[in-house]
Amino acid sequence: MIFQGNQNDWHFEEVFACNPRSVPDPGLGQEPYLSVCSEAFYHVEQYSDFTTSWLEGDEVEISQRSSGDLQILVRSSERNQQAIGSLLVIPVHVWQGHGAFVFQAELTVGGKMGTGSRDYLIDGYWEALQSSFWTSLLRDTTEVVKVGNLLTGASVDFISRESAVLSYGHLTPLASKDDLGFRVSALTEEADVSLRARYFGLAKPSTFKPDWVDEVSSSSILVAFLGVLSLLAVLIELGGALYMHFPRLSAGNQKNTDL
């Protein structure tokens, strides 16, 4: 996740900040309450009611530990607000009762799948919404033109002509603390967007994007319009058949009268 804009202030009710030591010290002991990070490799501090403002360009990787704690790894940070390589760890009991984290960012959901991976996508669902010409004639709205499911292990992002697309969304915990993982919901900016999914074992990613066939098949207005056209075509054909039939009857009746 690479943050953009200025709508990325995250408030933590309780958090452990683990800042990497410049030189590891294997001789340091491990305090029980600091077990979230190895004291030999990190300076560990505990905070309550802590807020961090992610700046534009800050990059983080968010995952959940086997303990259930939520972990935020800082990949890069503008103006050194958070040290590169530092960790923010939210205990599972705090995370379960926590509010949502909203974001404005370039988003990738699901890490690379491999043996021992823990940050992989569990499952997902996506929708492509589009405002069609036919719909816009009657009302200003969008319609779902294509849907799909994401398989376990996929790594997904959103692109427009191979460039990353801005997304708006939020992170929330799952309903039960016994379920590992968390929920990511995102809506991309309005653009010519494609969904790109990478899977382990495939040399090239799969790209999903609605086309005119999806637009036609999903538009209720267009389907209704085509239905009316089909009905008109049937009526015209029926009228033509009747026209060809009744003149012959009239001609036959006239001939009998003359006799």
Side-chain angles (χ1 to χ4, degrees):
M1 179 185 298
I2 303 176
F3 292 103
Q4 303 293 336
N6 55 5
Q7 302 181 34
N8 300 300
D9 295 340
W10 289 8
H11 176 76
F12 303 93
E13 297 177 3
E14 181 183 347
V15 64
F16 289 92
C18 307
N19 295 305
R21 295 181 181 276
S22 56
V23 178
D25 189 350
L28 289 177
Q30 185 70 59
E31 297 294 337
Y33 80 101
L34 298 180
S35 60
V36 291
C37 299
S38 173
E39 196 178 15
F41 297 94
Y42 295 94
H43 296 284
V44 184
E45 296 182 352
Q46 185 178 13
Y47 297 101
S48 297
D49 293 327
F50 177 79
T51 299
T52 184
S53 298
W54 302 109
L55 303 179
E56 187 163 342
D58 288 352
E59 181 177 358
V60 300
E61 181 180 304
I62 304 172
S63 59
Q64 191 171 31
R65 296 179 167 187
S66 57
S67 61
D69 298 345
L70 188 72
Q71 174 180 287
I72 303 172
L73 168 63
V74 180
R75 290 292 189 186
S76 66
S77 181
E78 296 291 325
R79 287 177 263 173
N80 296 321
Q81 186 180 23
Q82 297 290 336
I84 297 175
S86 63
L87 301 174
L88 296 176
V89 181
I90 308 172
V92 58
H93 65 278
V94 177
W95 168 233
Q96 278 301 126
H98 212 288
F101 292 136
V102 299
F103 60 82
Q104 178 181 350
E106 296 174 4
L107 179 67
T108 299
V109 181
K112 293 182 179 180
M113 176 59 79
T115 302
S117 296
R118 294 184 179 275
D119 60 346
Y120 58 86
L121 176 73
I122 298 175
D123 58 43
Y125 173 80
W126 61 270
E127 292 182 346
L129 291 87
Q130 189 168 300
S131 179
S132 66
F133 169 77
W134 298 98
T135 303
S136 62
L137 292 176
L138 298 180
R139 59 181 185 270
D140 184 17
T141 187
T142 57
E143 294 180 319
V144 178
V145 296
K146 200 177 186 70
V147 299
N149 294 314
L150 300 173
L151 302 178
T152 300
S155 181
V156 179
D157 63 351
F158 306 98
I159 57 173
S160 178
R161 298 181 178 88
E162 300 303 320
S163 298
V165 175
L166 183 65
S167 296
Y168 300 86
H170 54 266
L171 310 177
T172 53
L174 297 180
S176 173
K177 65 180 181 179
D178 296 327
D179 296 328
L180 291 180
F182 53 91
R183 184 174 289 106
V184 181
S185 300
L187 179 67
T188 68
E189 63 179 344
E190 186 175 353
D192 183 21
V193 179
S194 299
L195 183 145
R196 181 171 59 184
R198 294 181 174 86
Y199 295 95
F200 176 75
L202 295 183
K204 296 182 178 180
S206 301
T207 303
F208 304 93
K209 181 182 178 181
D211 54 23
W212 69 270
V213 176
D214 299 308
E215 182 178 342
V216 170
S217 61
S218 62
S219 176
S220 56
I221 294 177
L222 187 55
V223 170
F225 179 71
L226 292 176
V228 172
L229 289 181
S230 299
L231 178 61
L232 288 176
V234 171
L235 292 176
I236 291 172
E237 184 177 356
L238 180 61
L242 292 175
Y243 176 80
M244 296 296 294
H245 180 68
F246 280 111
R248 294 178 181 177
L249 292 178
S250 299
N253 293 335
Q254 183 66 39
K255 184 176 181 180
N256 292 335
T257 302
D258 291 340
L259 290 174

